[in-house]
């Protein structure tokens, strides 16, 4: 498990490093180097639009990688996604700016952003499932949370590099050429990720499922038979995704542009908050193994909806310690939504379509949540010159997640070897997450046997009588 978790974590860390690096650069550099405008917030808004375009490609990546990942295996697709993401980020570090080649610069940047989004759309599902399907039933939430921690680890890494550059370089040099350094470093990180990831074995649950014919087109199967699960996955993801990008990406804009504080203030606060975030996400996942996915997620969604107002009030103090506290508490509450999420979403789908189903639900939500969050937040700030509407926006987003979790069944303890099981639990099956009684398990096996067409043959298992 140490090798599996390391392989999953290092890959997601590298990919999120690349993805968040663009978000940070969009707030601090790209608004002038690639999208010059008279109003600083207008240039930032345009930069965040191209940032959002990367999210549009993520569902496509989830469908494409999920299709082959459900048919060929998780590991092979993870290598491809890592190479695509690293190559696009490295190429960004070599791009000429607007002052050199004019409008071709933002066009090329946007194309590379699409490649990033496509690769990341395929990365999440494979990395999570590799750890999730290797982990034992009693600790799946804990193991699956480690790839989730790759998000704050990547954000921590990208913010650290940018903070070091901001401390060592004058602002003029950073904007002129220093910003390229972290993008070019991505090449070395990709080589490290490939070396570790190649040593990870394929998922045993997937290998076991290969004994049965695979889903012909997993995406069609998900839409046809698992629409409810897909919508629930999107709702669970919605508030978590909006709050995260407001806490991190929009924070950089708010602190530097609206509060007119040094860039290092925002970067150092994100740095400290990300350390706490990274360390606590697996702990939230472990707690969900004991208390259930639903209660832990509700702690995060309800808590974040309330904290959103205190978050901006503390930012307005212009005090670095209070800014750091506001962000750290926000990320701690976000972790309660993020930690159980990988297991929560993955347990909703059968092995044959798990890569595709979990990826589609996860990535579609990111289009409507994370992609739009910085844009909506910046637009609200420009229109009202106040953070209160942004806090209301975060509160409403987390309310969506809270309502969805109340409607969703508990998935802890779901048997991954069972197929064709619809989301939900017939009455009388006991506590959520408890193993099904033997009679019901047998009935499920009979149902699976009949759907495979064996009902036309004489029964040798006593299905007719015992059912």
């Amino acid at each position: 498990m140490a090798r599996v978790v390391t392989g999953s974590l290092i890959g997601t860390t590298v990919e999120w490093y690349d993805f968040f690096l663009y978000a940070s650069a969009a707030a601090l550099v790209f608004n002038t180097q690639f999208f010059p405008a008279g109003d600083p917030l207008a240039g930032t808004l345009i930069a965040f639009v191209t940032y959002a375009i990367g999210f549009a490609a993520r569902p496509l990546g989830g469908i494409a990688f999920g299709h082959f990942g459900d048919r060929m295996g998780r590991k092979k697709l993870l290598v491809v996604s890592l190479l695509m993401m690293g190559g696009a980020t490295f190429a960004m570090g070599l791009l000429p700016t607007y002052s050199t080649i004019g409008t071709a610069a933002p066009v090329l940047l946007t194309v590379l952003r699409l490649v990033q989004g496509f690769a990341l759309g395929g990365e999440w599902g494979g990395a999570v499932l590799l750890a999730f399907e290797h982990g034992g039933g009693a600790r799946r939430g804990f193991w699956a949370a480690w790839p989730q921690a790759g998000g704050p680890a990547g954000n921590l890494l990208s913010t650290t590099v940018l903070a070091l550059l901001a401390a060592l370089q004058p602002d003029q040099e950073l904007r002129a050429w220093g910003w390229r350094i972290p993008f070019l470093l991505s090449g070395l990180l990709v080589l490290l990720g490939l070396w570790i990831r190649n040593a990870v074995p394929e998922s045993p649950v997937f290998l076991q499922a290969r004994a049965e014919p695979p889903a012909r087109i997993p995406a069609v199967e998900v839409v046809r038979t698992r629409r409810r699960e897909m919508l629930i996955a999107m709702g669970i993801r919605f508030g978590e995704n909006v709050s995260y990008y407001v806490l991190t990406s929009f924070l950089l804009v708010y602190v530097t542009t609206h509060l007119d504080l040094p860039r290092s203030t925002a970067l150092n606060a994100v740095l400290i908050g990300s350390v706490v975030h990274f360390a606590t996400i697996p702990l939230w996942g472990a707690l969900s193994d004991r208390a259930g996915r639903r209660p832990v997620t509700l702690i995060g969604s309800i808590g974040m909806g309330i904290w959103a107002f205190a978050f901006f009030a503390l930012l307005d103090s212009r005090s670095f310690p209070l800014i750091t506290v506001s962000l750290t508490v926000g990320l701690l509450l976000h972790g309660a939504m993020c930690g159980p999420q990988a297991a929560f979403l993955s347990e909703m789908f059968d092995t044959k379509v798990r890569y595709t189903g979990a990826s589609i639900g996860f990535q579609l939500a990111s289009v409507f949540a994370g992609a739009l969050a910085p844009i909506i937040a910046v637009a609200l700030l420009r229109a009202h010159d106040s953070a209160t509407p942004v806090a209301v926006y975060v509160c409403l987003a987390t309310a969506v997640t809270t309502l969805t979790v109340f409607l969703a069944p508990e998935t802890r303890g779901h048997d991954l070897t069972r197929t064709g099981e619809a989301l939900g639990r017939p009455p009388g099956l006991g506590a959520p997450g408890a193993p099904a009684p033997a009679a019901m398990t047998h009935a499920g096996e009979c149902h699976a046997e009949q759907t495979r067409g064996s009902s036309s043959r004489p029964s040798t298992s006593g299905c007719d009588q015992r059912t």
Side-chain angles (χ1 to χ4, degrees):
M1 281 308 302
R3 180 186 300 177
V4 171
V5 168
T6 302
S8 297
L9 177 60
I10 191 68
T12 52
T13 299
V14 172
E15 298 232 9
W16 282 111
Y17 166 83
D18 294 346
F19 205 74
F20 285 133
L21 191 59
Y22 187 101
S24 299
L28 303 174
V29 178
F30 288 169
N31 55 343
T32 57
Q33 295 298 310
F34 287 86
F35 309 98
D39 181 0
L41 279 180
T44 302
L45 195 58
I46 297 171
F48 273 139
V49 169
T50 62
Y51 161 79
I53 287 175
F55 283 82
R58 284 167 64 172
L60 298 177
I63 293 172
F65 279 83
H67 176 86
F68 292 104
D70 281 327
R71 296 176 65 89
M72 299 169 55
R74 288 53 166 128
K75 178 180 173 179
K76 295 176 182 177
L77 276 297
L78 287 177
V79 171
V80 176
S81 69
L82 190 58
L83 287 172
M84 287 183 65
M85 174 66 85
T89 306
F90 186 84
M92 285 181 181
L94 302 175
L95 274 182
T97 60
Y98 184 90
S99 61
T100 304
I101 60 173
T103 55
V107 170
L108 292 173
L109 185 66
T110 303
V111 170
L112 292 174
R113 181 62 177 172
L114 285 170
V115 176
Q116 275 191 332
F118 187 83
L120 189 62
E123 163 70 20
W124 179 84
V128 161
L129 293 187
L130 206 58
F132 171 82
E133 292 176 344
H134 271 92
R139 303 189 69 191
R140 281 201 301 256
F142 174 70
W143 295 123
W146 279 102
Q148 290 286 83
N155 195 19
L156 175 63
L157 190 58
S158 63
T159 305
T160 300
V161 174
L162 286 172
L164 286 174
L165 290 174
L168 298 175
Q169 283 187 311
D171 187 71
Q172 186 176 0
E173 289 186 11
L174 179 63
R175 291 181 178 275
W177 60 269
W179 64 269
R180 298 181 184 275
I181 296 174
F183 284 87
L184 297 176
L185 283 176
S186 177
L188 296 176
L189 295 175
V190 167
L191 294 177
L192 175 63
L194 289 174
W195 177 65
I196 296 176
R197 184 163 275 182
N198 274 327
V200 176
E202 183 56 85
S203 158
V205 175
F206 170 78
L207 294 175
Q208 180 182 354
R210 293 183 70 176
E212 298 184 7
R216 188 172 182 180
I217 305 178
V220 173
E221 183 72 13
V222 169
V223 173
R224 187 173 65 86
T225 65
R226 290 290 186 267
R227 284 190 297 272
R228 184 185 174 211
E229 289 90 332
M230 186 174 66
L231 291 173
I232 287 178
M234 291 176 64
I236 292 171
R237 168 85 164 143
F238 191 82
E240 172 266 313
N241 210 218
V242 167
S243 61
Y244 186 72
Y245 287 102
V246 170
L247 288 172
T248 55
S249 298
F250 177 71
L251 170 81
L252 299 177
V253 177
Y254 189 77
V255 170
T256 57
T257 304
H258 185 72
L259 300 180
D260 199 26
L261 294 174
R263 183 180 293 108
S264 59
T265 299
L267 291 174
N268 290 332
V270 173
L271 195 65
I272 295 170
S274 294
V275 172
V276 176
H277 198 208
F278 171 79
T280 54
I281 283 179
L283 299 181
W284 287 116
L287 181 60
S288 76
D289 286 327
R290 299 177 64 86
R293 318 298 184 211
R294 297 172 73 245
V296 177
T297 305
L298 287 173
I299 291 173
S301 62
I302 296 173
M304 189 65 237
I306 297 171
W307 184 253
F309 298 92
F311 171 72
F312 286 107
L314 291 174
L315 292 185
D316 289 338
S317 70
R318 289 180 164 84
S319 165
F320 174 72
L322 291 180
I323 290 173
T324 304
V325 167
S326 68
L327 178 62
T328 302
V329 174
L331 290 176
L332 185 65
L333 292 168
H334 173 270
M337 292 185 280
C338 181
Q341 189 179 89
F344 204 173
L345 270 58
S346 299
E347 286 164 342
M348 294 181 185
F349 300 93
D350 300 334
T351 303
K352 289 183 179 181
V353 297
R354 185 170 294 128
Y355 198 145
T356 302
S359 294
I360 290 177
F362 187 89
Q363 304 300 351
L364 274 178
S366 70
V367 174
F368 301 104
L372 299 178
I375 297 173
I376 292 174
V378 171
L380 289 173
L381 181 62
R382 288 190 71 202
H384 301 280
D385 196 33
S386 168
T388 301
V390 182
V392 172
Y393 167 54
V394 173
C395 185
L396 292 174
T398 55
V400 172
T401 292
T402 299
L403 178 61
T404 303
V405 173
F406 273 117
L407 296 175
E410 180 59 68
T411 62
R412 176 175 60 95
H414 175 76
D415 183 0
L416 299 186
T417 62
R418 296 171 66 181
T419 59
E421 182 179 340
L423 182 63
R425 190 172 299 276
L429 286 190
M440 183 55 69
T441 303
H442 181 75
E445 291 170 353
C446 292
H447 174 71
E449 181 181 340
Q450 291 164 1
T451 58
R452 289 195 296 269
S454 58
S455 58
S456 62
R457 299 192 299 272
S459 173
T460 60
S461 60
C463 280
D464 295 337
Q465 295 84 354
R466 293 171 66 178
T467 304

